[in-house]
């Protein structure tokens, strides 16, 4: 019974956190959820192909192409040809600003939620969340997708280690292979 209750509470919290984070992120950028995630991804990994960008935000190639069309239409991203006769997606200055707004709004709402915890509880909660993210990576070993709306600088502030990045590196070290193709 206890495990069922814990799973239920975790599910309710996950959906609530998701709603809070995504509402603010999409409002801040004036985009869809996938568009907001794409802006954040491109802010740390400019020049991705449409296909790779789609993979990182959980979209098929045709859906990713439509999303990039929308971002271009809003002046947030642009396609640039590459030497390999491919196309790379980059943020415009407006796209960079939008990505910063997304992270600021998302972080602000989530920080206000964790303010319900005292200092000691926040430290323990951070450790527990890191442990859960490591377990999540074992079930969905796609670091770039798990962290598609992460503020990467905040994750490693003050010498902290990104738990998803650490799990990815551990998987590589054991020879289990790289599913997501990216390093964190």
């Amino acid at each position: 019974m206890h495990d069922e209750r814990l799973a239920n509470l975790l599910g309710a919290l996950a959906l609530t956190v998701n709603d809070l984070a995504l509402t603010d992120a999409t409002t801040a950028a004036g985009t869809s959820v996938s568009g907001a995630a794409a802006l954040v991804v491109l802010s740390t990994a400019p020049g991705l192909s449409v296909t790779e960008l789609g993979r990182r935000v959980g979209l098929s190639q045709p859906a990713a192409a439509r999303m990039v069309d929308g971002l271009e239409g809003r002046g947030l991203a642009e396609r640039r040809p590459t030497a390999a006769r491919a196309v790379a997606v980059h943020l415009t200055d407006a796209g960079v600003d939008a990505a910063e707004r997304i992270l600021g709004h998302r972080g602000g709402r989530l920080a206000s939620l964790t303010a319900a915890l005292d200092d000691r509880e926040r430290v323990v909660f951070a450790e527990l969340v890191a442990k859960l993210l490591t377990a999540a990576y074992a079930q969905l070993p796609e670091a770039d997708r798990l962290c598609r709306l992460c503020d990467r600088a905040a994750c490693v502030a003050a010498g902290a280690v990104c738990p998803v990045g650490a799990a990815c590196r551990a998987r590589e070290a054991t020879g289990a292979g790289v599913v997501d193709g990216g390093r964190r």
Side-chain angles (χ1 to χ4, degrees):
M1 286 287 221
H2 180 69
D3 287 343
E4 290 174 13
R5 181 175 188 273
L6 180 58
N8 190 56
L9 292 171
L10 179 61
L13 178 61
L15 291 173
T16 301
V17 168
N18 184 59
D19 290 346
L20 292 172
L22 294 181
T23 297
D24 286 349
T26 56
T27 300
T31 67
S32 65
V33 171
S34 57
L39 293 172
V40 171
V41 167
L42 288 169
S43 73
T44 59
L48 296 175
S49 69
V50 173
T51 301
E52 176 61 14
L53 180 60
R55 186 193 67 74
R56 291 188 186 196
V57 300
L59 297 176
S60 67
Q61 197 285 331
R66 288 189 300 274
M67 176 197 59
V68 171
D69 288 343
L71 293 175
E72 279 187 309
R74 297 193 39 134
L76 300 172
E78 61 187 11
R79 289 177 173 96
R80 296 180 192 164
T82 67
R85 297 177 55 176
V87 175
V89 183
H90 292 268
L91 294 180
T92 62
D93 290 342
V96 170
D97 292 343
E100 290 172 0
R101 280 194 312 277
I102 290 165
L103 291 174
H105 282 78
R106 181 196 61 81
R109 180 70 71 111
L110 298 179
S112 69
L113 184 63
T114 61
L117 305 173
D118 65 32
D119 289 343
R120 183 190 60 75
E121 290 169 330
R122 277 194 291 280
V123 169
V124 170
F125 187 62
E127 291 169 358
L128 294 172
V129 169
K131 191 171 186 176
L132 290 174
L133 283 169
T134 301
Y137 180 80
Q139 293 183 36
L140 180 65
E142 296 182 38
D144 291 323
R145 188 163 178 207
L146 286 172
C147 299
R148 65 189 176 272
L149 274 170
C150 284
D151 181 343
R152 292 180 183 214
C155 192
V156 296
V161 175
C162 170
V164 175
C168 182
R169 288 185 297 279
R171 176 179 283 258
E172 289 174 3
T174 62
V178 179
V179 175
D180 57 33
R183 296 190 199 290
R184 302 210 17 90

